[in-house]
Amino acid sequence: DTAVSQTPKYLVTQMGNDKSIKCEQNLGHDTMYWYKQDSKKFLKIMFSYNNKELIINETVPNRFSPKSPDKAHLNLHINSLELGDSAVYFCASSPVKGANYGYTFGSGTRLTVV
Amino acid sequence: QKEVEQDPGPLSVPEGAIVSLNCTYSNSAFQYFMWYRQYSRKGPELLMYTYSSGNKEDGRFTAQVDKSSKYISLFIRDSQPSDSATYLCAMISILTGGGNKLTFGTGTQLKVEL
């Protein structure tokens, strides 16, 4: 199936731990994104990579570090997890030309920090 | 003040009703306007997109954009229980260095009751 897939779907971890979320898209898109959705359902962009190059880096703590080994993958590593990091993290992708047709989102990773 | 404002609801309507969902925005750089639908514990999925002021219809859905007022709307005719979801307006701005950015409203939770 052509899609944006994220792993894991659920992640429960203790404060202070380091964790990674992986994202892969097989749509042939050039640009990938990480969004965070808080408890009030507000989706806010965190990072954007275009063909492995970082082009958007919103005001996100340095504990969050994206890595793009190739244009089909964008992983998110989080160091020293805090309670406030609990949220749903969505990966998305879009073509460079035609991004006005919208982004394709993964199904999300629900992170709970205890 | 957020760049995109949207009434969070919840909005509850009877089956068959016409639903009107609205967003206002402040950033004149927004060029493309979209509506996403998000079911519980799923990723957002693109419902409609438009570029110019005016109406765009797709089945039971009509998207309306008024750039002069910085106001967009989504109308759902003959609403069905399966339309129960969170509806997010979203807007794309083109970045000066290349690439684009999708900014979301806070989402309106809609429930269509039998």
Side-chain angles (χ1 to χ4, degrees):
Chain A
D1 288 345
T2 54
V4 178
S5 56
Q6 300 178 225
T7 54
K9 287 191 183 303
Y10 300 94
L11 188 52
V12 181
T13 188
Q14 290 187 326
M15 282 175 54
N17 284 350
D18 303 339
K19 290 293 178 185
S20 291
I21 306 172
K22 294 186 176 182
C23 180
E24 176 182 4
Q25 56 94 3
N26 60 4
L27 298 163
H29 289 168
D30 300 285
T31 310
M32 296 184 72
Y33 313 82
W34 279 110
Y35 277 79
K36 178 180 180 181
Q37 187 169 45
D38 61 24
S39 57
K40 295 184 179 179
K41 297 282 193 178
F42 181 55
L43 268 163
K44 186 167 169 40
I45 191 166
M46 300 172 69
F47 302 104
S48 170
Y49 267 77
N50 183 19
N51 202 11
K52 302 195 295 175
E53 180 185 352
L54 181 66
I55 57 172
I56 294 176
N57 185 351
E58 294 286 292
T59 309
V60 177
N62 290 337
R63 299 181 295 101
F64 290 79
S65 54
K67 282 186 172 52
S68 182
D70 55 62
K71 74 173 191 176
H73 295 84
L74 180 61
N75 303 322
L76 183 64
H77 188 76
I78 316 170
N79 289 327
S80 304
L81 277 154
E82 300 178 357
L83 293 176
D85 297 332
S86 296
V88 183
Y89 293 84
F90 286 98
C91 178
S93 70
S94 72
V96 171
K97 293 182 180 178
N100 49 299
Y101 295 116
Y103 297 4
T104 303
F105 283 81
S107 55
T109 295
R110 187 172 294 270
L111 171 65
T112 304
V113 182
V114 297
Chain B
Q1 184 186 4
K2 289 187 167 63
E3 288 183 283
V4 182
E5 298 282 352
Q6 184 176 6
D7 186 342
L11 181 62
S12 184
V13 301
E15 184 179 8
I18 296 175
V19 176
S20 172
L21 304 166
N22 310 294
C23 285
T24 58
Y25 63 96
S26 56
N27 189 347
S28 298
F30 290 137
Q31 296 186 20
Y32 303 98
F33 305 90
M34 294 154 191
W35 286 93
Y36 278 80
R37 178 175 60 195
Q38 186 177 20
Y39 290 112
S40 181
R41 295 187 176 263
K42 298 287 186 185
E45 55 176 336
L46 182 65
L47 200 56
M48 294 193 72
Y49 74 92
T50 186
Y51 168 69
S52 55
S53 284
N55 293 353
K56 182 177 181 179
E57 192 173 314
D58 183 3
R60 296 185 296 111
F61 299 90
T62 299
Q64 192 175 76
V65 173
D66 182 346
K67 286 189 175 182
S68 62
S69 301
K70 294 190 174 65
Y71 188 89
I72 71 169
S73 300
L74 177 71
F75 299 96
I76 307 173
R77 289 183 299 281
D78 188 25
S79 54
Q80 304 294 311
S82 58
D83 294 329
S84 299
T86 297
Y87 289 80
L88 302 129
C89 62
M91 307 178 186
I92 282 190
S93 52
I94 305 301
L95 304 176
T96 50
N100 60 81
K101 179 179 169 183
L102 184 65
T103 301
F104 282 92
T106 48
T108 300
Q109 188 179 349
L110 171 67
K111 185 173 183 181
V112 181
E113 300 190 0
L114 289 168

